[in-house]
Amino acid sequence: NCDWSSDVCSSDLSSPDGARLASGGDDGSVRIWDSLRGRQLTVLEGHEAGVNSVSWSPDGNRLASGGDDGTVRLWDSGSGLELAVLAGPTDWSVWSVCWSPDGTRLASGCDDGTVRLWDSGSGRQLTVLKGHTGSVGCVSWSPDGARLASGGEDAAVRLWDSGSGRELMVLEGHEDVVNSI
C-alpha cells in the first residue's frame, strides 16, 4: 500500500536488501521468509486478530505490522522479538503502516478514518490526522519525509504536512475507495 517512495516503504514486499520477505495473515501472524531460498525464517506472533499490513524499516532491522486488533506492532526483524505495541484510543482495525524515510516515524491508516503518526523509537503517538470520512486504507511518505499521503473509503487522497499535521490539500476524482498510493 506504500508506493510514493517505494525504496523506503515496502509494504508486503522484501526487506531493503532483498534477502527477506514479510507477510501478514488473517491468522494474526507475521512471517519472515528467505526470499532467495524460499523458506520460512521466523513467525512473529502477538496480534490478536488478522494482520493487514507490514512494512520494513529503511535499514531493514525492524518490521512494523498493523492489524485488526487495532495495534501497530514493532518487531526486531533479526531476532523476532516484539519491541513495542502502539495502540491509540480505538479498537478499530489498522489497515496500513509505513515508515518515514529516515526511520524515525511511522504512519498508520485506521478504520476510524484517522492517520496516526508515531515516534518509532519511543512508541509515543505524535499526532492524529483527521479529515477522512471513512477507513484509511493506504498511507505513504514523500521521499523527503516532509509530506504524507493517505487514501481511503471516502474516495479522496489527502496530503498532509508531516511536521505540523496540517492538511495541505484534498485530491478528488476517484469514484470509489482509494486502495493504493
Side-chain angles (χ1 to χ4, degrees):
N1 291 348
C2 300
D3 300 320
W4 194 355
S5 180
S6 61
D7 60 326
V8 173
C9 192
S10 51
S11 180
D12 293 333
L13 298 175
S14 62
S15 59
D17 65 3
R20 296 168 294 163
L21 186 85
S23 60
D26 274 347
D27 61 358
S29 73
V30 175
R31 295 173 189 266
I32 298 178
W33 308 85
D34 179 326
S35 63
L36 303 175
R37 294 180 182 81
R39 62 186 167 94
Q40 183 175 286
L41 298 174
T42 189
V43 178
L44 311 177
E45 295 177 326
H47 282 281
E48 297 172 13
V51 176
N52 298 315
S53 180
V54 295
S55 180
W56 291 93
S57 64
D59 63 9
N61 293 329
R62 294 178 291 168
L63 191 65
S65 57
D68 287 332
D69 60 359
T71 67
V72 174
R73 294 176 187 262
L74 301 183
W75 310 89
D76 180 289
S77 65
S79 69
L81 291 175
E82 186 178 81
L83 302 172
V85 178
L86 315 179
T90 179
D91 53 356
W92 295 83
S93 295
V94 176
W95 288 106
S96 60
V97 291
C98 191
W99 291 86
S100 64
D102 64 5
T104 62
R105 295 174 291 169
L106 278 161
S108 61
C110 303
D111 220 10
D112 65 357
T114 64
V115 175
R116 296 175 187 272
L117 299 184
W118 307 89
D119 179 290
S120 66
S122 69
R124 183 174 59 90
Q125 184 174 280
L126 299 170
T127 191
V128 179
L129 310 177
K130 297 178 181 179
H132 285 282
T133 59
S135 294
V136 177
C138 52
V139 292
S140 185
W141 295 86
S142 64
D144 63 2
R147 293 176 296 152
L148 185 72
S150 59
E153 283 185 339
D154 60 2
V157 173
R158 296 179 187 277
L159 297 179
W160 311 88
D161 179 292
S162 67
S164 69
R166 184 173 60 91
E167 185 178 87
L168 300 172
M169 67 180 71
V170 179
L171 308 175
E172 296 175 321
H174 287 281
E175 295 178 16
D176 208 337
V177 176
V178 177
N179 292 314
S180 182
I181 295 192

